[in-house]
Amino acid sequence: MKSFFGFLFLLCALSLAHAKPNVIMIVTDDQGYGDMSCYGNPWLKTPHLDSLYADGVRLEDYHVDPVCTPTRAALMTGRHSLRVGAWAVTEGRQLLNPDEVTMAQVFKQSGYRTGMFGKWHLGDTYPYAPQYRGFDDVVCHKAGGVGEIGNPTGNDYFDDSYFRNGVQEKFDGYCTDIFFRETLRFIDENKDQPFFVYLPLNAMHGPFTVAENYWKRFSEMGMPETRSKFYGMVENFDETLGILLASLKEQQLEENTVVIFMGDNGSGGGVRPIDGHPGFSGGMRGWKGSTYEGGHRVACFVRWPGHFDSGRTVENLTKHHDWLPTLIEVCGLEAPKHVKFDGQSIVPLLAGKSSDWPDRTFFVARHADQPVPFSAELKQQTYPTRAILTERWRLVDDELYEIQKDPGQKNDVAREHPEVMTRLESAYSEWWSDVMSHEARFTPFFVGASEQNPTKFTVRDWHPTEGGVIWKMELVEDDDLFVNGFWSLDVVQDGSYEVRLSRYPEDAEQPMGADKAVMEIGDSLMSSGVFPDEASVTFNVDLKKGPTLLKTRLRDAKSKKERGAYYISITKI
């Protein structure tokens, strides 16, 4: 009885006396479980991550998606990435459905100031960009990486151009330093009111690069340059994290600020052997992109001095979907109506009240444009496509592992436990029918909206029909590459539209090398002759309000082969 009343007291304290704590959610990109010294990495020194590990509550069986966008979509909504339309990193499947309620909107509607600094990767146009999804103050890059197409040409992590509330701006310094610097500015400007900061960094995503003083010591150990720079990025992040934590203490914000740290998927540069260097996996199988444990089990620490006991380890199965319902409870936020979360509040676990915590079943999926339920045919994929998780079991495609006895997933025991296979397969089938009830409908680009005109998008956003997608300039410039696809659009209002097609970005125009351009949009099929030295071609077309598809073809003047236009700009006239 005494512990029961103690738990009630904690809940009252969370919801009343401390109804408006600040929240800082830090998400690093491609930093796996073993890419820090507190989890035994023998080369890295990460004292500030180690202090979060020591001073906070650590979730030891915490899971996300295997790649970037799905994790971010699930984190922002508390709902599975397949449910909300953002389950891949390109192919038009990185757009978070516009009718989803985001974490930022929940905080903002409850009186918080909201800021986002870094990598969004859930859509860059209206209504998907972060400034339209509940954030008051935004500094971010576009697409899935600082240097990917869709960003200003020449971005290379140093002295780049990013977007402040949608407006391009040049910044001095290294990417990680800049996003932390903007976070410190936002906190200083809003410290007299409750604030929510979402700090999703682009580091440690490739290409691996950082100032030499961060990676030189690894190179001197004999590590290959790629791994040296990846580790250098980790230590640069740790240094800037230390500056943030020190600033919170200096401004007397530490005790009223919940700090959450997590990775977005398995390691992108610290696990796979490189030029004879073994890497460090933390004892898990797999890395970024894999549905084995190393692809989706990541570090997660939460610190709130005086409220969550320091040094507590939570062994229960938890996941990124849990954070939004948890923060609603911790911060006394107004929960969105008619929203079905795929996670649940883990306040009892953070409070050390886990004795009657249920054994939950989680589902991890990795899919491209058109997701399909797991079947025997999918075994031909280069990576496993799904994992089913319980406290005891991991079913990866059709392989079964007893995870507590076999954390490295070396011994497939599927044949020994047919009843477990049947039970988990049944749960998966039911779950799949639920999350995919929308039948993979397209999430469209909105054109003709008063909030943003023109609307611009690129080849990385199309649904591929011939070949795949392109995300970096080397592929854009490849004269031997001929790929194509289509874009899903939603025309906001009837009217006349100007559609500009090009092969190269506007800030680095080059001749397209084409002699003919074709555009199909709605009921219109239009073509035009083009001189090979022209950088773009423009069509004028009347469009009706509603959904449609856009397809393009540029015929190469030399080979007469066709590729799609790589850059699109649509303006309502």
Side-chain angles (χ1 to χ4, degrees), residues 290-515:
S290 174
T291 52
Y292 290 112
E293 203 79 349
H296 51 83
R297 180 182 165 211
V298 298
C300 185
F301 315 138
V302 53
R303 188 192 76 176
W304 190 15
H307 305 281
F308 299 149
D309 289 346
S310 64
R312 177 184 297 124
T313 296
V314 173
E315 301 286 355
N316 306 78
L317 201 58
T318 55
K319 56 179 179 173
H320 50 341
H321 307 96
D322 294 335
W323 277 117
L324 181 50
T326 298
L327 290 173
I328 287 172
E329 183 172 350
V330 167
C331 301
L333 309 177
E334 182 179 348
K337 295 179 175 61
H338 312 300
V339 173
K340 175 187 175 184
F341 291 129
D342 289 310
Q344 67 185 79
S345 172
I346 59 170
V347 164
L349 298 182
L350 299 177
K353 307 296 180 181
S354 59
S355 58
D356 58 351
W357 190 254
D359 182 6
R360 299 195 286 172
T361 301
F362 295 169
F363 305 90
V364 174
R366 186 182 177 196
H367 289 282
D369 189 0
Q370 294 294 329
V372 293
F374 176 73
S375 64
E377 288 75 16
L378 286 178
K379 295 177 188 177
Q380 305 306 313
Q381 296 276 357
T382 57
Y383 52 82
T385 60
R386 62 107 191 248
I388 305 173
L389 288 61
T390 71
E391 298 279 0
R392 181 179 177 184
W393 303 105
R394 300 290 192 266
L395 177 59
V396 183
D397 281 359
D398 56 3
E399 304 166 4
L400 183 67
Y401 301 96
E402 194 164 4
I403 198 66
Q404 294 174 4
K405 294 181 179 179
D406 181 21
Q409 294 177 296
K410 298 176 182 179
N411 183 29
D412 177 10
V413 295
R415 290 186 178 182
E416 289 92 324
H417 297 278
E419 76 291 347
V420 176
M421 297 289 289
T422 299
R423 174 168 56 84
L424 294 181
E425 289 286 4
S426 177
Y428 170 78
S429 180
E430 182 180 349
W431 168 80
W432 182 270
S433 297
D434 179 29
V435 296
M436 292 303 295
S437 61
H438 54 72
E439 298 181 335
R441 67 179 180 269
F442 296 131
T443 305
F445 285 93
F446 285 62
V447 297
S450 59
E451 290 85 353
Q452 186 176 59
N453 191 37
T455 299
K456 299 181 180 182
F457 41 89
T458 73
V459 53
R460 72 183 301 280
D461 305 313
W462 71 24
H463 301 271
T465 56
E466 303 165 44
V469 298
I470 291 173
W471 66 94
K472 54 185 179 180
M473 280 302 297
E474 301 96 284
L475 298 173
V476 171
E477 296 167 341
D478 186 348
D479 289 332
D480 296 322
L481 185 63
F482 294 92
V483 293
N484 212 334
F486 65 88
W487 295 271
S488 174
L489 308 181
D490 191 327
V491 180
V492 174
Q493 51 185 321
D494 295 350
S496 296
Y497 288 80
E498 180 181 273
V499 184
R500 182 183 187 273
L501 316 181
S502 58
R503 178 178 168 185
Y504 297 97
E506 293 180 49
D507 65 354
E509 285 190 333
Q510 298 181 46
M512 293 189 295
D515 62 12

Side-chain angles (χ1 to χ4, degrees), residues 517-552:
V518 179
M519 181 183 76
E520 298 176 61
I521 185 169
D523 297 328
S524 299
L525 174 62
M526 311 177 77
S527 65
S528 174
V530 183
F531 291 110
D533 62 352
E534 289 186 272
S536 65
V537 59
T538 300
F539 292 99
N540 290 293
V541 61
D542 291 332
L543 298 176
K544 293 293 185 181
K545 179 180 178 180
T548 190
L549 301 179
L550 169 65
K551 305 175 185 178
T552 66

